[in-house]
Amino acid sequence: MSRDPFWLARLTISLWVGSSALIALMRPDSLMAKTVLPSGALGGVALWGLVAVSLIGLLDNLMNDLLPRCSLRLAMRHRHTGFMAMSIALVLCAGVVAKHEGLSPLLLNYMLPAALAVWVSFLDVFARYKQ
Amino acid sequence: MRRHNPLAWTLLNIAHWSVFLAWIPTTAAATAVMAQQGRLPLELDPVLVGISSALATLAGATSLLIRINSILAEFPGVPLIRPRIFCAAHMLGSWLAGTAAFLAGRSHGWDVWYSLLFVLLLAFLGAKGVEILAEKYLSVYRPPGSTQ
């Protein structure tokens, strides 16, 4: 089994972002739900989008890195698109929070995983074709 | 080869950059005058400007990654001939289109979601447009077997 060098970073980002978005959708009194969901229907769409992209990331991790003799080439070849979509959805949520709260430490909750997802996407694309 | 006078060359360079960077003091002066007269056309929230810039950057980076991935998938290990121009083309296109979209969205008073989505969409299209133009006139990678 040959694992991608960034598989653990990808797993961490997918779990981090997916669980935050899922908690926000399940618990209306959570911090993310209170800041994003009142902005309208698109807030819910962004959170469901984050859950969907995280699930695809987890499936990619499971099939291409964790399970032996399993491969999902489509997910591997378009991995960077998923992580960039995740970071864009996070920055969109940060924009909505910034509109209502101004410059707030809450923004770190969105901007940090978004920055990490972009960094991992770039490293992953170059590492994938290095061999 | 014809040799240039160094002093003339330096002066020409200074003149060139002065013209290129003239939009910065022009914009600053126009903003100051309009603010003094109390008729600023837009209320620009600095945090929202920052978030829109981040979105335009992400749109450009996504377009860049998609292109790099398609080049490397077709020719693994192929060198990029002009990596800086290649990156600058994507980012310049996305920032210019993103700025135009942000100003259009704010001047029409759109909801924050629609304003940000418009910035994202136009920045991505801008990056793709400049990518197509740049690749039409410049070689950005060297396919195996080519002599260029």
Side-chain angles (χ1 to χ4, degrees), chain A residues 39 77 80 84 96 118 128-129, chain B residues 47 58 62 69 73 113 120:
Chain A
S39 65
R77 286 192 64 170
H80 56 283
M84 292 306 284
V96 173
V118 173
R128 205 183 313 154
Y129 297 104
Chain B
V47 185
L58 281 177
T62 306
N69 185 59
W113 272 112
L120 181 67

Side-chain angles (χ1 to χ4, degrees), chain A residues 34-69:
Chain A
K34 279 181 180 172
T35 49
V36 175
L37 287 179
S39 65
L42 284 173
V45 172
L47 290 180
W48 278 114
L50 280 176
V51 171
V53 174
S54 305
L55 285 177
I56 293 170
L58 288 175
L59 183 70
D60 172 31
N61 259 130
L62 194 70
M63 298 295 283
N64 291 319
D65 300 303
L66 299 176
L67 291 179
R69 288 189 293 280

Side-chain angles (χ1 to χ4, degrees), chain B residues 10-135:
Chain B
T10 309
L11 288 174
L12 198 64
N13 262 334
I14 291 172
H16 170 247
W17 282 103
S18 307
V19 171
F20 184 69
L21 296 174
W23 67 271
I24 299 173
T26 309
T27 312
T31 310
V33 169
M34 291 186 89
Q36 205 175 21
Q37 293 174 349
R39 55 186 184 94
L40 259 179
L42 298 174
E43 278 184 28
L44 298 180
D45 179 3
V47 185
L48 216 53
V49 172
I51 295 285
S52 299
S53 310
L55 269 180
T57 308
L58 281 177
T62 306
S63 156
L64 180 65
L65 265 182
I66 289 172
R67 187 68 191 117
I68 289 175
N69 185 59
S70 67
I71 290 174
L72 291 179
E74 199 176 350
F75 309 112
V78 70
L80 294 174
I81 303 171
R82 299 181 179 92
R84 287 182 186 174
I85 292 178
F86 183 55
C87 296
H90 285 83
M91 301 320 290
L92 191 72
S94 72
W95 284 330
L96 285 177
T99 306
F102 178 75
L103 291 176
R106 297 315 296 161
S107 62
H108 286 89
W110 289 350
D111 175 56
V112 62
W113 272 112
Y114 295 111
S115 184
L116 293 178
L117 283 173
F118 189 55
V119 168
L120 181 67
L121 183 70
L122 230 66
F124 186 77
L125 292 178
K128 277 284 168 201
V130 178
E131 171 199 309
I132 291 166
L133 278 179
E135 292 196 16

